[in-house]
Amino acid sequence: MTIRIFKFLAVFTLSAFLYNCGSSHNVVHDGSVYEVKGSKIYKAGNEVTETLPEETKSGIQETLETRLALKAEEEKRQKELENRQKDQEKIQKKAEKRQKELEKKQKEIEKEQERREDARKAFIKANDKLKKAQKKYDRLLEKGKLSPVDIEKWDEKIEKLQKEKDIAEERYNSL
């Protein structure tokens, strides 16, 4: 992997060097098109560096430098915009991740509330069953309609319902 990166950097550096050294720029100055290669100026393929007046040479160079400066500034602005866009994308991704985390926590909270509500309902149901059975037992005992075997069965039933109520209450209180 590092060899590939090194090769890429070497090729990129070499091509950038060759591009800058061998590049030519066309400049329009006073209605004429000039081609600037390094420090030499050409017009229609002929070198005119020595024949041009000094102020024309400086005007051509100034126009070229201004254009190159504007191009560099535009590239700089473009790079800044790309960096800002990347930063915005990172912020967006973080926000989406945070949103997903919050939604997950919300679901967990809702599930916990549902479990708590289910435990509460189970406790209430078990408590109501116990009260109803106890009431019926007391009523039958008061009327004298229970035999000793029936009393024993009812005691077991009430004890069982009491245990169910205690378990449901413990689950409810543990949540």
Side-chain angles (χ1 to χ4, degrees), residues 122-138:
F123 169 69
I124 290 172
K125 184 176 178 181
N127 195 32
D128 288 347
K129 272 183 152 181
L130 175 64
K131 285 181 181 179
K132 188 176 179 182
Q134 186 69 46
K135 190 175 183 181
K136 187 173 182 180
Y137 170 75
D138 290 342

Side-chain angles (χ1 to χ4, degrees), residues 9-167:
L9 288 175
V11 169
F12 179 75
T13 305
L14 182 61
S15 61
F17 178 73
L18 291 174
Y19 176 76
N20 287 334
C21 292
S23 66
S24 65
H25 302 282
N26 290 328
V27 178
V28 177
H29 184 71
D30 293 334
S32 298
V33 177
Y34 297 97
E35 186 178 354
V36 179
K37 291 184 180 178
S39 62
K40 296 185 180 191
I41 302 172
Y42 297 87
K43 183 175 182 183
N46 299 323
E47 184 179 349
V48 291
T49 308
E50 300 300 323
T51 60
L52 288 175
E54 198 58 42
E55 66 182 46
T56 304
K57 287 183 199 177
S58 64
I60 292 170
Q61 286 294 339
E62 189 176 303
T63 303
L64 178 61
E65 288 172 6
T66 303
R67 191 175 78 203
L68 291 176
L70 288 174
K71 185 178 178 182
E73 188 176 318
E74 181 62 31
E75 288 174 355
K76 182 180 175 185
R77 277 195 228 126
Q78 183 66 28
K79 189 71 169 174
E80 287 176 359
L81 285 174
E82 289 172 1
N83 288 340
R84 286 184 191 158
Q85 185 176 5
K86 286 179 184 178
D87 290 344
Q88 287 297 326
E89 289 172 359
K90 286 179 184 177
I91 291 170
Q92 180 69 25
K93 285 182 182 179
K94 285 182 181 178
E96 289 172 359
K97 184 178 178 182
R98 180 71 177 143
Q99 181 66 28
K100 285 181 182 179
E101 289 173 359
L102 290 175
E103 288 173 359
K104 186 177 178 181
K105 285 183 181 179
Q106 180 66 29
K107 285 182 181 180
E108 289 174 5
I109 289 171
E110 289 172 0
K111 284 183 181 180
E112 181 64 30
Q113 287 174 339
E114 189 175 320
R115 284 192 296 267
R116 186 156 176 80
E117 182 62 24
D118 290 346
R120 186 185 73 81
K121 286 179 182 178
F123 169 69
I124 290 172
K125 184 176 178 181
N127 195 32
D128 288 347
K129 272 183 152 181
L130 175 64
K131 285 181 181 179
K132 188 176 179 182
Q134 186 69 46
K135 190 175 183 181
K136 187 173 182 180
Y137 170 75
D138 290 342
R139 189 171 26 98
L140 290 173
L141 188 62
E142 188 176 303
K143 289 184 178 182
K145 294 189 173 184
L146 294 177
S147 67
V149 173
D150 289 339
I151 292 174
E152 195 174 307
K153 287 181 182 178
W154 272 98
D155 285 342
E156 289 174 8
K157 181 178 180 179
I158 290 174
E159 187 177 321
K160 178 183 168 192
L161 291 173
Q162 180 65 44
K163 285 181 183 178
E164 289 176 7
K165 177 197 159 230
D166 291 343
I167 291 171

